[in-house]
Amino acid sequence: DAEGGVVSEAGSSSCWLMNDNELYVPTDNNEILDGITRHTMLRVAKERVISFIDRNYNLHEAMAADEALFSAS
């Protein structure tokens, strides 16, 4: 999503960031599908005791992250 400089999705996929063993998850809103993939990622993070931060992040933060993952259904 290039609008507003927020990184969240790319054509039917979602973007996840890992930084300092924390999972950054785009905020659930009307622009993001609150679907099974998102719920599964959050459940697995909880099971593996990985804290997650539910907030939007920008391109600079994405580029500086330790890891980045795009998922698609």
Side-chain angles (χ1 to χ4, degrees):
D1 178 9
E3 219 171 289
V6 173
V7 177
S8 59
E9 296 180 309
S12 299
S13 60
S14 298
C15 180
W16 313 85
L17 301 180
M18 283 290 293
N19 207 20
D20 296 326
N21 203 37
E22 294 178 319
L23 178 64
Y24 285 76
V25 181
T27 301
D28 178 23
N29 58 35
N30 62 349
E31 296 176 10
I32 303 289
L33 178 62
D34 185 29
I36 192 165
T37 303
R38 185 177 195 280
H39 287 268
T40 301
M41 290 288 286
L42 296 178
R43 180 181 51 80
V44 170
K46 287 178 186 177
E47 289 172 0
R48 297 183 185 244
V49 193
I50 298 171
S51 62
F52 62 89
I53 298 171
D54 189 6
R55 73 167 179 81
N56 292 327
Y57 40 84
N58 61 37
L59 182 57
H60 176 74
E61 291 171 300
M63 297 295 290
D66 296 333
E67 302 174 56
L69 167 73
F70 276 89
S71 63
S73 304

